[in-house]
Amino acid sequence: MENTVAENEATALDLLLDKVYQDGGYDFRGYRCSTVTRRLQRRLHDTGARTYLDYMQFLDAHPEEYHRLAEDLTIKVSGFFRSPYTFQQVAGLVLPELVLYKRKQGEQKLRLWSTACARGEEPYSIAILLIEFLGHRLPDFDVLIHATDISHQALKEAQAGVYSSKDIEGLPITVLESYFAHRNESYVVRTDIRQMVSFSYFDLTSLIGQPFADLDCVFCCNILIYLQTQLQERVLEMLYNSLATPGYLILGEVETLAESLQERLECVDAKAKIYRRSKE
Ligand SMILES: C[S@@+](CC[C@H](N)C(=O)[O-])C[C@H]1O[C@@H](n2cnc3c(N)ncnc32)[C@H](O)[C@@H]1O
């Protein structure tokens, strides 16, 4: 009996996620069930729906609910220099090698991608890291950080670059003074840093292929944990294809590299989750 109820619920959930994809354009079908069901409960509660079926009817009557659902299903917790050790190792291992390689090749372009950028904390941290690392050599390089996400709300806030005192908690005062302007109760990212980052919408799970190629560094942090293994593999394969050689892939501290890529990517720092695509 219990099994039947669970099976019915799983089928209803599948139907709902199919509908959200077909009619709403958001694909949460390969996300971990536990996260999706937990977060869905809130939408059911707020819309007065008792079952997934009720909620599907609500979606038909209120198509704007698709966007609210997508906002609720995406977890946007982030922070500046969120994994300090990783950023330290990017500065200590990745950037010196990349800069040396670029110099040898006579190349100026440095292209990076923050693949689930939330409210911009990650791409702005990367920009600050690059400024600090390159110092007086910054003008020698043509730097662009692509930053993408599926949350329109997060992208809007990221572009504005305005943060509360809670958002910037823990940032050293020297970083705050150098890279932020203090306005009223908020901290605004300096214009020249905002100009190093190009924000746009991109769904990592989409099948349209990779939006960027020949990237020097790809950050895919704290998003894979929400995806089922098969989808993680597909996303990682796409990211692998977007890397230059040499090119670096950086994952979140608790994330792991799919088995299918372990042969092709060299581990640079296991704790910092930094991997290198070397020459074929
Ligand atoms: C927990 S935040 C991680 C932010 C940042 N990378 C970090 O490590 O602090 C996860 C982000 O992934 C975004 N996201 C979820 N699904 C996505 C998808 N399919 N494509 C792109 N971004 C997605 C969410 O909107 C959210 O901003």
Side-chain angles (χ1 to χ4, degrees):
M1 178 73 174
E2 261 176 33
N3 276 352
T4 320
V5 173
E7 274 166 29
N8 285 345
E9 184 153 327
T11 311
L13 178 64
D14 286 346
L15 286 175
L16 170 59
L17 294 182
D18 279 345
K19 180 178 177 56
V20 170
Y21 175 57
Q22 300 295 345
D23 300 346
Y26 293 103
D27 194 357
F28 291 105
R29 294 171 301 174
Y31 284 56
R32 286 193 195 282
C33 271
S34 51
T35 317
V36 172
T37 46
R38 195 164 11 94
R39 297 230 146 198
L40 255 174
Q41 285 316 314
R42 194 154 75 199
R43 291 315 310 144
L44 262 67
H45 177 266
D46 287 0
T47 56
R50 283 189 312 115
T51 62
Y52 290 147
L53 203 68
D54 286 349
Y55 186 62
M56 283 191 249
Q57 284 166 354
F58 185 90
L59 282 166
D60 281 333
H62 306 86
E64 70 283 359
E65 173 64 17
Y66 284 110
H67 306 301
R68 246 173 260 139
L69 172 65
E71 287 301 332
D72 263 16
L73 288 184
T74 46
I75 296 162
K76 290 171 276 275
V77 179
S78 190
F80 289 95
F81 299 97
R82 182 174 183 180
S83 303
Y85 178 71
T86 300
F87 277 95
Q88 185 189 313
Q89 296 306 80
V90 171
L93 301 173
V94 175
L95 296 181
E97 198 174 298
L98 265 182
V99 165
L100 190 69
Y101 176 78
K102 296 278 167 181
R103 283 228 187 274
K104 274 194 195 152
Q105 300 292 312
E107 267 181 39
Q108 290 169 319
K109 273 189 188 169
L110 266 178
R111 294 288 179 265
L112 304 96
W113 182 16
S114 165
T115 63
C117 67
R119 295 173 54 242
E121 297 93 331
E122 183 177 279
Y124 290 138
S125 300
I126 299 168
I128 293 170
L129 192 78
L130 278 166
I131 294 179
E132 296 261 314
F133 177 80
L134 291 171
H136 67 277
R137 296 171 297 175
L138 182 66
D140 299 347
F141 289 92
D142 161 17
V143 178
L144 182 61
I145 301 157
H146 298 286
T148 58
D149 203 281
I150 51 164
S151 164
H152 293 287
Q153 181 58 35
L155 284 168
K156 208 166 120 193
E157 291 178 36
Q159 240 150 354
V162 181
Y163 298 93
S164 68
S165 40
K166 188 159 189 313
D167 294 331
I168 51 89
E169 234 169 46
L171 269 183
I173 190 79
T174 47
V175 170
L176 266 185
E177 284 177 356
S178 305
Y179 303 107
F180 292 78
H182 193 181
R183 264 191 234 141
N184 305 322
E185 293 301 295
S186 307
Y187 295 83
V188 187
V189 176
R190 236 170 54 186
T191 311
D192 57 324
I193 292 164
R194 293 217 300 276
Q195 284 166 348
M196 290 169 71
V197 185
S198 166
F199 290 99
S200 58
Y201 175 94
F202 182 71
D203 181 351
L204 282 170
T205 71
S206 76
L207 292 167
I208 61 165
Q210 75 222 35
F212 312 111
D214 281 331
L215 296 170
D216 299 303
C217 213
V218 171
F219 289 74
C220 182
C221 305
N222 303 303
I223 162 70
L224 294 176
I225 35 168
Y226 302 113
L227 311 181
Q228 292 174 23
T229 313
Q230 218 181 348
L231 185 55
Q232 286 190 18
E233 282 180 10
R234 202 177 82 206
V235 170
L236 283 167
E237 193 67 41
M238 182 271 291
L239 298 181
Y240 174 83
N241 288 326
S242 68
L243 285 172
T245 49
Y248 293 84
L249 174 68
I250 293 145
L251 305 182
E253 256 174 25
V254 297
E255 290 166 325
T256 45
L257 191 64
E259 232 171 79
S260 54
L261 279 173
Q262 285 174 6
E263 295 274 285
R264 288 176 282 159
L265 283 170
E266 183 190 336
C267 182
V268 174
D269 187 313
K271 189 173 161 216
K273 300 289 160 70
I274 302 177
Y275 303 90
R276 177 173 43 221
R277 179 178 177 172
S278 303
K279 286 230 175 293
E280 256 94 331

